[in-house]
């Protein structure tokens, strides 16, 4: 069989072979190329030792020499070239105690996690598929190479990777592999938060984030995201809703992912939006009350959700910017817009102009995951509110202190003393301008100041 590979990769393979070594593209890139997907990066596996690789190529970087990896630079792209290796005993559910280089491609493929990730290719020999990876790709199956129990014992992260690949590829986890998951899931507590974050994040932004439900069924979530398990166990008896809290949030997440795909939203924002949708109602279980008619209410849940999300994202070691964006959006996700200019200016001022665009998306997806009978009315309000907000932006109306036509310096030149009083005046003027944007002129504002404060 013949596979399209980039010229630079073909070049690296040829050079290694010309020097008497074996060399193949391997792993994720072979899998993706067979699926007709664009591989993120091309990894190469070779019988050459790192020092030998370094001798053959002009520009190399010692990425992980002790693990056998050298990055070969071709133009501005790096290609990881790794020596065939066998992982030694694993001591902490994650790190092999030692690794040994080997002359056997088969041994190298055997250490890899799933059959679909354990194929190698070069143009001379075609596909090397020892464990039935191609068949599993065709059947849409995630299956461990060898005994799933043993593979999960060696490295518990593979448990979460199985679900992540299921989400990215829309695959099912093969039965034996799936059965081993709940038996071994507890070892996930020994995996670093960063690694767990990476896998969860890739799953959430994937085309099948609902595979997170498989993570719940197989006991993974109780070790990595117990809050979401609680959400799944919280029904909502309320005319606005037709799903449990957890299912509702999952629907909202699926909606936002479709939206992101259709609108080419960048990776970072996709991540923010995904986590917002998944956790926007995380506080509902805690805040649930049931009235005399049996209807559930969740007053104050947005604030509590924001706090919980903050804790979760901190625990998963997200960067501060992501944590701040996600928690702010969750805090405001239930804000009811009044589609009038004045109200929208106040909303933008309170919520923050920097997150308004995202908030419209969040509120829309939240509605789309609620009772369809309520969509029309709710969506039309959000849409009108957004139109009005866009008008406000177009007219460049003042929404913040920094857009005010006077500043502290102007007031001091008028004889007002520096200090808290200045802040009070400026806030008063901002209130005036939010109410009447045409007042945002220096003369007018100074006159208003005199009228009020002298
Ligand atoms: P992606 O880059 O989309 O995350 P990938 O399959 O390339 O997918 P990487 O994490 O980049 O995944 O790893 C490259 C290859 O290394 C995998 O295809 C697999 O063969 C092997 N591999 C990675 N992590 C593990 C692991 N924890 N256990 C065993 N093999 C692994
Ligand atoms: Mg990769």
């Amino acid at each position: 069989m013949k596979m399209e590979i980039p010229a630079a990769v073909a070049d690296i393979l040829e050079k290694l072979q010309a020097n008497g070594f074996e060399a193949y593209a391997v792993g994720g890139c072979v899998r993706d190329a067979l699926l007709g997907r664009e591989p993120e990066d091309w990894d190469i596996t070779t019988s050459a030792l790192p020092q030998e690789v370094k001798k053959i190529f002009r520009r190399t970087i010692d990425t992980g020499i002790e693990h056998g990896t050298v990055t070969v630079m071709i133009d501005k792209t790096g290609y990881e070239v790794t020596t065939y290796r066998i992982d030694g005993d694993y001591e902490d559910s994650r790190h092999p105690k030692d690794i040994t280089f080997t002359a056997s491609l088969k041994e190298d493929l055997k250490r890899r996690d799933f059959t679909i990730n354990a194929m190698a290719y070069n143009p001379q020999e075609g596909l090397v598929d020892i464990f039935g990876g191609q068949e599993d790709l065709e059947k849409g199956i995630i299956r461990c190479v060898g005994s799933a129990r043993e593979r999960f014992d060696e490295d518990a992260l593979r448990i979460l990777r199985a679900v992540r690949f299921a989400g990215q590829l829309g695959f099912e986890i093969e039965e034996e592999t799936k059965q081993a998951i709940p038996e071994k899931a507890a070892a996930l507590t020994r995996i670093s938060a960063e690694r767990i974050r990476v896998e969860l994040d890739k799953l959430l932004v994937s085309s099948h984030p609902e595979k997170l439900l498989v993570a719940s069924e197989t006991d993974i979530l109780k070790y990595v995201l117990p809050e979401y398990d609680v959400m799944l166990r919280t029904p909502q008896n309320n005319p606005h809703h037709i799903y449990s809290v957890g299912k509702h949030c999952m629907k909202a997440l699926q909606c936002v992912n479709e939206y992101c795909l259709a609108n080419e939203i960048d990776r970072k924002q996709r991540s923010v939006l995904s986590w917002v949708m998944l956790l926007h109602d995380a506080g509902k279980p805690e805040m649930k009350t049931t009235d005399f008619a049996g209807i559930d209410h969740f007053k104050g849940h947005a604030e509590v959700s924001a706090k919980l999300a903050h804790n979760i994202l901190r625990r998963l070691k997200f960067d501060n910017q992501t944590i701040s964006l996600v928690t702010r959006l969750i805090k405001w996700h239930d804000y009811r817009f009044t589609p009038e200019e004045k109200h929208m200016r106040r909303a933008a001022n309170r919520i923050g102009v920097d997150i308004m665009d995202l908030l419209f998306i969040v509120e829309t997806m939240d509605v789309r995951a609620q009772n369809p009978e309520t969509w029309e009315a709710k969506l039309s309000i959000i849409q009108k509110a957004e139109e009005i907000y866009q008008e406000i932006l177009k007219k460049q109306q003042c929404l913040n202190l920094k857009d005010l036509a006077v500043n502290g310096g102007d007031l001091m030149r008028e004889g007002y003393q520096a200090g808290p009083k200045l802040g009070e005046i400026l806030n008063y003027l901002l209130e005036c301008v939010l109410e009447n944007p045409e007042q945002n002129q220096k003369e007018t504002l100074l006159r208003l100041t005199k009228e009020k404060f002298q």
Side-chain angles (χ1 to χ4, degrees):
M1 73 151 303
K2 196 113 190 81
M3 216 168 82
E4 290 281 331
I5 62 174
V9 175
D11 220 45
I12 296 172
L13 297 179
E14 266 171 38
K15 280 217 176 76
L16 285 161
Q17 289 165 339
N19 282 274
F21 301 107
E22 297 175 12
Y24 301 83
V26 71
C29 60
V30 176
R31 174 199 69 220
D32 289 343
L34 287 174
L35 285 170
R37 298 170 156 234
E38 179 87 32
E40 259 184 49
D41 36 41
W42 287 81
D43 295 329
I44 289 153
T45 188
T46 179
S47 58
L49 293 169
Q51 294 309 327
E52 294 169 330
V53 174
K54 287 177 70 172
K55 261 188 237 152
I56 296 172
F57 298 96
R58 209 157 48 86
R59 288 189 300 142
T60 62
I61 301 165
D62 292 3
T63 319
I65 284 276
E66 66 282 16
H67 297 111
T69 303
V70 173
T71 298
V72 172
M73 296 301 300
I74 308 280
D75 296 326
K76 288 199 171 84
T77 312
Y79 299 87
E80 288 196 354
V81 178
T82 305
T83 308
Y84 294 164
R85 61 173 221 223
I86 305 171
D87 294 334
D89 289 341
Y90 288 75
E91 40 188 16
D92 57 356
S93 306
R94 175 75 197 134
H95 299 102
K97 212 162 41 202
D98 47 50
I99 59 139
T100 4
F101 297 135
T102 163
S104 153
L105 172 65
K106 183 175 177 182
E107 288 298 324
D108 182 87
L109 295 177
K110 223 166 106 182
R111 73 169 169 93
R112 295 173 184 271
D113 47 8
F114 305 111
T115 58
I116 58 168
N117 286 347
M119 292 180 277
Y121 174 88
N122 72 21
Q124 293 71 31
E125 284 171 60
L127 189 71
V128 180
D129 176 17
I130 301 169
F131 307 104
Q134 202 176 12
E135 193 189 331
D136 285 345
L137 265 190
E138 275 156 21
K139 289 201 274 192
I141 282 178
I142 311 288
R143 179 203 311 270
C144 282
V145 174
S147 150
R149 285 180 185 80
E150 284 170 27
R151 306 318 306 279
F152 292 157
D153 271 336
E154 290 165 359
D155 178 1
L157 186 66
R158 291 171 186 156
I159 294 170
L160 201 45
R161 281 171 64 88
V163 182
R164 185 259 283 191
F165 284 118
Q168 285 181 325
L169 305 171
F171 281 19
E172 300 297 322
I173 302 174
E174 175 274 332
E175 207 42 48
E176 192 213 318
T177 300
K178 195 167 172 179
Q179 274 176 15
I181 294 180
E183 287 173 36
K184 305 295 179 185
L188 278 165
T189 53
R190 282 182 276 160
I191 301 294
S192 79
E194 288 87 344
R195 305 303 295 246
I196 288 177
R197 178 192 72 228
V198 169
E199 297 301 326
L200 283 177
D201 193 59
K202 284 183 177 177
L203 173 60
L204 292 201
V205 303
S206 77
S207 46
H208 296 278
E210 71 280 2
K211 295 287 177 185
L212 193 66
L213 303 177
V214 177
S216 175
E217 289 156 18
T218 52
D219 288 353
I220 295 175
L221 282 196
K222 69 178 182 212
Y223 303 107
V224 299
L225 201 58
E227 295 86 349
Y228 185 69
D229 261 343
V230 178
M231 291 160 70
L232 281 172
R233 287 196 299 267
T234 307
Q236 325 189 65
N237 183 22
N238 179 299
H240 292 284
H241 284 282
I242 52 175
Y243 303 115
S244 71
V245 173
K247 281 262 167 70
H248 158 70
C249 288
M250 182 50 71
K251 275 275 168 218
L253 169 53
Q254 290 173 301
C255 287
V256 94
N257 283 5
E258 271 168 38
Y259 172 90
C260 287
L261 206 65
N263 292 279
E264 295 184 11
I265 306 294
D266 73 55
R267 177 65 173 79
K268 182 106 191 173
Q269 288 210 343
R270 272 161 57 202
S271 170
V272 167
L273 286 169
S274 296
W275 284 95
V276 170
M277 294 332 309
L278 185 76
L279 299 177
H280 75 279
D281 283 342
K284 274 188 172 177
E286 207 174 301
M287 302 308 282
K288 178 166 162 170
T289 57
T290 306
D291 69 19
F292 62 90
I295 306 294
D296 297 329
H297 301 277
F298 306 93
K299 213 162 173 301
H301 77 276
E303 286 278 347
V304 179
S305 302
K307 276 198 198 107
L308 276 169
H310 189 266
N311 294 345
I312 293 167
L313 300 183
R314 278 290 285 276
R315 186 177 76 218
L316 292 171
K317 303 226 160 72
F318 269 91
D319 60 287
N320 290 335
Q321 198 200 12
T322 303
I323 297 177
S324 155
L325 273 176
V326 172
T327 48
R328 284 172 64 208
L329 284 162
I330 292 181
K331 177 179 157 188
W332 292 107
H333 83 267
D334 214 20
Y335 184 87
R336 304 292 155 84
F337 295 117
T338 306
E340 290 166 21
E341 272 215 0
K342 195 164 68 183
H343 283 97
M344 290 311 296
R345 279 192 298 271
R346 285 191 189 284
N349 169 259
R350 282 181 69 197
I351 294 165
V353 174
D354 62 323
I355 61 168
M356 285 297 281
D357 287 337
L358 290 177
L359 187 60
F360 290 119
I361 300 172
V362 168
E363 293 212 10
T364 303
M365 303 309 151
D366 187 5
V367 169
R368 288 192 177 286
Q370 297 175 11
N371 183 351
E373 285 168 18
T374 70
W375 287 6
E376 208 180 305
K378 292 172 182 167
L379 291 177
S380 98
I381 291 179
I382 298 170
Q383 200 186 333
K384 272 192 212 121
E386 182 167 10
E387 281 163 16
I388 291 169
Y389 174 69
Q390 293 303 341
E391 274 302 304
I392 291 171
L393 289 186
K394 209 147 92 207
K395 290 193 252 176
Q396 298 191 323
Q397 292 179 349
C398 168
L399 297 172
N400 285 301
L401 282 178
K402 69 169 174 42
D403 307 328
L404 212 52
V406 300
N407 59 29
D410 297 326
L411 293 176
M412 274 150 63
R413 275 188 288 280
E414 293 292 311
Y416 295 93
Q417 306 241 309
K421 189 78 187 172
L422 280 193
E424 193 190 319
I425 298 174
L426 289 170
N427 279 318
Y428 167 73
L429 294 176
L430 180 60
E431 286 301 316
C432 296
V433 167
L434 288 173
E435 191 73 24
N436 301 301
E438 67 285 355
Q439 291 184 333
N440 194 24
Q441 295 185 7
K442 202 158 173 177
E443 270 168 52
T444 314
L445 294 181
L446 291 176
R447 178 173 53 77
L448 287 171
T449 309
K450 279 198 192 113
E451 282 169 14
K452 172 91 178 172
F453 292 92
Q454 263 181 6

